[in-house]
Structures are given as structure tokens and as C-alpha cells.
Amino acid sequence: MTRRMRIDDLTALAVPSQPALSPDGSRAAYVVRTLDVDSDRPVDRLWIVGTDGSGAPRPLTSGPGDTTPRWSPDGSRLAFVRSDDGVAQVWLLHADGGEPEQVTSLRLGAGAPVWSPDGTRIAFTAPVDPAPRGTGPIVTTRIDYQADGVGMLASIRTQLHVLDLAGGTCRQVTDAPEHAGEPAWAADGRTLAFTRRVGADSDLTFRTAVHLLDVDDAAARPRVVALEDGVAAAVSFAADGSLLVVGHPGDLVGHAHLFRVPLEGTVGGEPVDLAGHLDRNVMPGATAYPGARPVDTPEGVLFCVRDRGCTHLWRAADDTTTPVLVGDGRVVSGLSVAGGVAAVALATPTSYGEIVVVDLATGAERVLTDHGASLADIELFVRQERTFTSADGTELQAWLVRDPALTGPGPLVVDVHGGPHNAWNGAADEMHPYHQELAARGWTVLLVNPRGSDGYGEAFYDGVNGAWGVADADDFLGPIDDLVAEGIADPERLAITGYSYGGFMSCYLTAQDHRFKAAVGGGVVSDLVSQFGTCDDGTCLSAYELGGMPWAEPERYAAMSPITRVADVRTPTLLLHGGADLTCDLGQAQQWHTSLRQLGVPTQLVIYPEQSHAFVLTGRPSYRMDYARRTVDWLEQHTLAAGRPRIDVAHWEQRLA
């Protein structure tokens, strides 16, 4: 017998990610994340499975913080990062299991391991601090002194290190004011490629170039080889010695591209944009932004792009691009290639993710894992795809989460995604368990990809630049009107929610329109002027997203900022915010909450201590579930007619205590 998903079921999820194929392609190591209620933390463990489908997956480590598995070139060992005391270090594990061995002991920890071609060395990034922390004030002349999830960075710089496995020695091989990105080894086993900002004003321009460094030449210094006037996000080597670079050729606007960059002594010619003709964003992968670093193969370069909300795997070869792993509601993250197969983590409309291998010659797919078995008795409300047309004729892709047995109009909540350049899709989604709970309670959840969303071409992607809220408000209000006219949504029971940019839109729309009976804003932005100087990427947003600096565009900022019209708000509003959020500073939620309180609008502010902006996906399980429960309760309390059931908040608070 099946049942509907509840918010409590979040703790039963086991979500695989970060696949790594052994050099012969016979085995896949990967990470499985679960939520431990007793310790109140996410738990990451390494697992392994054969790619021929003949054996069951089995755990390799016990965690709780084991990530980024990387095979040695001979396939005998796995290097990975373990973090169980707040400081991550590199560990080694024999491929057949056993006790892992810690091989770094750096005071501030170490990053993802990258094996040298001969397997004798491991390169990685690690933060360095020239002075003991807490011994003095933070002094900076630059503005890149903080980062969400890390904190203040005025004296901490991420630099490249090389570990010699035979001797156990670890050398720091770069030393600069700017951070170094994850490295890649050249075939010569002595040259590293990496990204790093360039220019005296790189904290203002964000210029990030690709550098090369000979780590065996003590006198060598990093030299710029690509994107000196652009923004490089990721770099790797191709088989012919050229570089594969994901980034922007100029300003940080529009899609990221995939470039093949010839180097001296390799295939000649100018850099080539391998995927620009697709008019799709290349996705190197990040938290809440699925994708993977490109990988060169004999048949061509494999890479990920965002298409109509989904992230898909494509191949570029001989001036052509072809799909490898695509389809509605399918989302690819992570990529490893060996032995003629590619391994990815794949989410679908009915799965939060499994490890899948693809035969690169035939395209045949094989699912290797069944970590969703823990939820086998749960039937998800699958997202129903819709298409709407905005007032100016723009076509909008959207999804409804709704019980198909429902008839007649009922309560509706529009959930606005973040970014603004992220996107909804049809895959199952662990970040928003309240969608399933609301649908089970008779709600319709509307998920719209408005202009600014990723996967519909660069013009659509840039459609909100300089006009946050102003350009996309009708992309939400129009579909709501359509659903009311269709008899799906009750006009007297409408609500809005969203996180990050979605939190911004929750504030913006309730200041512009009185149709919403309840609002829930997470990680909100309420004042774009004060965001400029307080958030970790505030200057970047002003330069490339908001049309200029606040003092140069005061009328534009006033039109976009919700705080300008806060006196017009009538909607009861719940605000949920991480206490250590540096991407959308806590002060943004405090301003909105204080203003509503002064105006007599029902409001509540919930602060989750020490949580970063990404806590709704990576934070403490109790906080993630609390966020979801409070969202459901607030919407039901302020939107539904009297007599409908409500969540017993006191009961849940007692359980969390």
C-alpha cells in the first residue's frame, strides 16, 4: 500500500552524488547523503558498486563527512575528503575497503584531491592564514573579504598545495592575495592549471583567468594563459594538451561558455567555443546548480547544459554537438568517464537521484543503485507541466504540484525559485518537501520559470537584468489569473513563497498586489541599496544584474526594491533566515520584519543560528524540517477557511527540543 510523502520523510532520504569511475570503468565510487536525526547533521558516506549490474552497492566508509572520492591512476586507492570535526583533510582508502589513512593535517583543512598522472602526488587547494585567528582586528582595503558559508576572509586565502605520497611532504606552491581554484594536472605530471582572479581591482571587476604553474621549478611563477579579460569558472586538460575552460569571455553576464583553448606545443589555432551555438548555459556544477566539469573522451568532450529547467549531458565533437543523456524531468549532476562509459547522478520525476552509467558508444543506460528504496511505499505527486503566456506574449514553462483527484478551485501557492537564474524542472526535489505536504492537504503549488530563468536562451536569461521584479512580476500574476479562470485556484485563497530571489519576489509582489492572503519569504532581499555593501556578492549584482551602482541609478533601485512600497503591504508574512547568511544578509529580513511590525501587518521572523544561505539544502536536519513545517503552517493559518486542519506547531517544537 502506498502513501503520500510527509515532511518527516525527509530523514529517510538517501541521495547519491559525486560518482567516480575506476580507471578501467568496472566500479563506481560515490557519496550518499542521509540526515541523522540524533546528531542533527547531514551524513556523507562513500559507497561503491560494480558497473556491470551484477553486484549490490555497499558502503566503504562510515562518515560522517566523507566526500569527493577520486581514484588513483592505477585504480588501487581512493583519495577523498573527510570532515568530522569541522576541518576537512585528505584521506586515502584501499579500493577493496579497510581503514582509511589521513594524509594531510593542515590547520585550516584541505580541499578536493587531484591525483598526478603517475599517482605519486596529490594536488589540492587549502586555506592559509598568515596570522593566528582571533588575535587582532580584521583589516581590509578590498571588498572580497567575506563569503557565505565560510565567513570573513580578510586574512584567509585559498592556495594550491602538492602532497608527495612517498615522502609525506606537503608544499604550498602558490602564494597570492587572490584565491586559487581547483587545479588540474597536465600529462607531464608537473604542470598545474587553475583559475585565479587577476588585476589590482579584481574584487571590483571579477576578472578570473586560467593560470599554469610548473610545480617542480622553484623559480616558476603562475602565468596567465586564458580568459584574462573574462571570468573562468573551471578548467581541465583535454587529451591533446589543450585546455577545457568553462567561463565568460568578458563580463559576468549571460551564459557560461565551454572553450577549448590551445596551448603552446598543442593543437594550434584560436580558442573555440564548443557549445555557444546551443544558446544554453554550460553548467560546471555547484550547490543547488546541478552539472559537472567537462571531460574529454576519444569520442568528444562531454559537458552539461541547462535546457528548459533540466540539466542534461551533451557531447561536442567535430564541430557538432549531440545529446547523450537528456529528457523531460531528468537532471544530471556529477560526471566521471572511464572504459567507454560515463557515470552520473540522475534525478527524475519519481526519483531524488540514483547512480546511472551510460555506454558512450550505444547510449544504453543502466541504473546501478536503488537508494530510493527507503521511500518505496511513497507515491509522489509528480509535477504536471504547463505552458502559460505572459502579458507581452512571452511563453513561460511551469509545473503544478497537485492531487489529480482534486476537482474545483482550491488554495494555491506560487513558489518562486532563486537566482534569479536558477530554474524549476520536473524532477523530484529534496529541497522543497513542503510541496508534497501541501498537495496532500488539497493545495495546488505553482512553479513558474519566469524570464531570468535558465534553460531558454540567453535573451530570456538576461530578461530581468536591471529590472528585478519590474520585468517579471506579470510572469507570476498572469499564470495565477489563468488558473483562477480555469477553476483550479480559489481567488480568495492565494499565497506566495520563495527562497533567495524567491524571497525577494515574495516581498516585491506583496508590496505591489493585495491578492495574496499569506506570504513566506526565505533568505529574503528587501532593499537592494543596503544589499550592495553588506552581501558577499552585492557589488557583482549591482555591476552585472541591477543596471549599475546604487548612487548612479537611484530611481531604478527604488523601483526594484520592495522596501520602497512596504507601506502598501497587507499580507501576513513569515520570514525565515539563516543567522550566518552572507549572500542575503540577515538585515534584509530584519528590515522587512521591522517595517511590517511597525505597520501592523501580521509578521514573524525566524532566525536559524549559524546557518548560511544554503542551509535549506545543506544545513541541520531539524532546521530544514522546521523551515518546511513553518511554511505549511503559516500558509494554512492565514489562507485556508476556518475549520481546515493545521499542523500542531507546539507538538513539533517539543519534538525538536
Side-chain angles (χ1 to χ4, degrees), residues 181-515:
E182 183 175 324
W185 287 98
D188 63 12
R190 59 183 293 162
T191 303
L192 289 176
F194 64 98
T195 60
R196 190 169 73 184
R197 284 187 177 179
V198 290
D201 295 328
S202 63
D203 58 329
L204 302 176
T205 65
F206 309 99
R207 297 291 182 243
T208 305
V210 177
H211 297 68
L212 292 183
L213 174 65
D214 184 340
V215 298
D216 289 338
D217 183 350
R221 294 292 180 268
R223 59 187 178 94
V224 174
V225 294
L227 266 67
E228 185 172 9
D229 296 321
V231 181
V235 60
S236 57
F237 278 95
D240 63 4
S242 63
L243 295 173
L244 299 175
V245 182
V246 178
H248 295 76
D251 288 342
L252 197 60
V253 178
H255 290 161
H257 296 250
L258 171 59
F259 298 100
R260 184 188 291 275
V261 180
L263 297 176
E264 184 179 349
T266 68
V267 177
E270 295 296 317
V272 176
D273 187 344
L274 298 180
H277 61 283
L278 292 177
D279 195 21
R280 291 293 184 266
N281 202 23
V282 177
M283 305 292 288
T287 301
Y289 290 83
R293 287 171 173 255
V295 176
D296 195 23
T297 76
E299 295 79 24
V301 178
L302 297 178
F303 62 100
C304 291
V305 296
R306 184 69 81 59
D307 185 30
R308 295 182 64 80
C310 294
T311 302
H312 292 155
L313 183 64
W314 282 66
R315 175 166 45 210
D318 300 325
D319 299 323
T320 63
T321 51
T322 55
V324 177
L325 187 56
V326 299
D328 293 341
R330 309 181 89 196
V331 176
V332 170
S333 61
L335 172 64
S336 181
V337 181
V341 299
V344 302
L346 180 67
T348 70
T350 57
S351 168
Y352 290 93
E354 301 292 351
I355 301 299
V356 175
V357 291
V358 183
D359 186 309
L360 295 176
T362 66
E365 302 173 17
R366 175 183 289 124
V367 180
L368 301 180
T369 62
D370 187 19
H371 291 288
S374 57
L375 299 176
D377 63 330
I378 293 175
E379 182 181 359
L380 296 176
F381 291 108
V382 175
R383 294 174 178 178
Q384 308 164 28
E385 186 175 353
R386 289 290 307 265
T387 300
F388 296 97
T389 302
S390 193
D392 65 355
T394 300
E395 184 178 285
L396 306 169
Q397 188 182 25
W399 290 264
L400 299 182
V401 185
R402 175 182 170 88
D403 187 342
L406 287 179
T407 59
L412 177 140
V413 58
V414 56
D415 199 338
V416 184
H417 68 63
H421 304 305
N422 214 324
W424 297 111
N425 55 65
D429 171 15
E430 65 171 301
M431 186 174 168
H432 302 88
Y434 57 86
H435 290 173
Q436 296 291 321
E437 180 100 24
L438 286 168
R441 291 169 174 260
W443 284 74
T444 296
V445 182
L446 171 62
L447 310 173
V448 181
N449 277 349
R451 66 200 73 203
S453 300
D454 196 0
Y456 306 90
E458 195 164 63
F460 193 89
Y461 185 95
D462 290 336
V464 293
N465 288 2
W468 281 19
V470 176
D472 53 339
D474 286 341
D475 293 352
F476 302 102
L477 300 179
I480 292 173
D481 289 339
D482 289 348
L483 293 176
V484 169
E486 293 174 20
I488 291 176
D490 181 346
E492 298 302 317
R493 294 187 286 173
L494 302 176
I496 185 170
T497 187
Y499 193 81
S500 195
Y501 186 81
F504 161 83
M505 283 302 300
S506 295
C507 297
Y508 182 90
L509 286 176
T510 55
Q512 305 287 328
D513 196 290
H514 293 160
R515 72 181 68 193

Side-chain angles (χ1 to χ4, degrees), residues 630-653:
R630 289 182 186 276
T631 297
V632 173
D633 182 65
W634 188 269
L635 296 179
E636 294 227 310
Q637 177 184 351
H638 293 280
T639 303
L640 295 187
R644 289 297 301 271
R646 293 177 51 194
I647 291 178
D648 186 348
V649 175
H651 166 71
W652 290 117
E653 289 179 340

Side-chain angles (χ1 to χ4, degrees), residues 617-637:
L617 188 59
T618 64
R620 290 171 54 177
S622 63
Y623 287 167
R624 292 177 61 184
M625 289 188 288
D626 184 79
Y627 185 107
R629 292 184 186 116
R630 289 182 186 276
T631 297
V632 173
D633 182 65
W634 188 269
L635 296 179
E636 294 227 310
Q637 177 184 351

Side-chain angles (χ1 to χ4, degrees), residues 127-164:
V128 298
D129 188 350
R133 302 180 75 174
T135 60
I138 294 174
V139 180
T140 183
T141 57
R142 296 170 62 92
I143 62 174
D144 52 356
Y145 58 86
Q146 61 179 353
D148 187 66
V150 179
M152 296 294 180
L153 301 171
S155 61
I156 298 177
R157 299 161 293 122
T158 301
Q159 301 297 321
L160 296 187
H161 293 66
V162 173
L163 171 68
D164 186 305

Side-chain angles (χ1 to χ4, degrees), residues 30-162:
Y30 58 99
V31 176
V32 174
R33 168 161 289 190
T34 57
L35 302 182
D36 189 306
V37 176
D38 293 333
S39 64
D40 198 18
R41 64 175 294 176
V43 175
D44 294 313
R45 299 181 176 93
L46 300 189
W47 285 62
I48 193 168
V49 63
T51 57
D52 62 1
S54 61
R58 61 182 177 87
L60 280 176
T61 66
S62 59
D66 299 341
T67 62
T68 59
R70 307 284 173 85
W71 289 91
S72 62
D74 64 1
S76 65
R77 293 178 292 179
L78 278 165
F80 65 97
V81 171
R82 168 167 286 181
S83 177
D84 57 6
D85 59 359
V87 177
Q89 303 291 352
V90 177
W91 291 63
L92 291 182
L93 175 67
H94 193 278
D96 294 327
E99 290 299 318
E101 172 193 4
Q102 183 177 336
V103 292
T104 65
S105 299
L106 300 176
R107 185 165 63 89
L108 298 179
V114 183
W115 289 90
S116 63
D118 63 4
T120 63
R121 297 189 286 186
I122 291 176
F124 56 91
T125 62
V128 298
D129 188 350
R133 302 180 75 174
T135 60
I138 294 174
V139 180
T140 183
T141 57
R142 296 170 62 92
I143 62 174
D144 52 356
Y145 58 86
Q146 61 179 353
D148 187 66
V150 179
M152 296 294 180
L153 301 171
S155 61
I156 298 177
R157 299 161 293 122
T158 301
Q159 301 297 321
L160 296 187
H161 293 66
V162 173

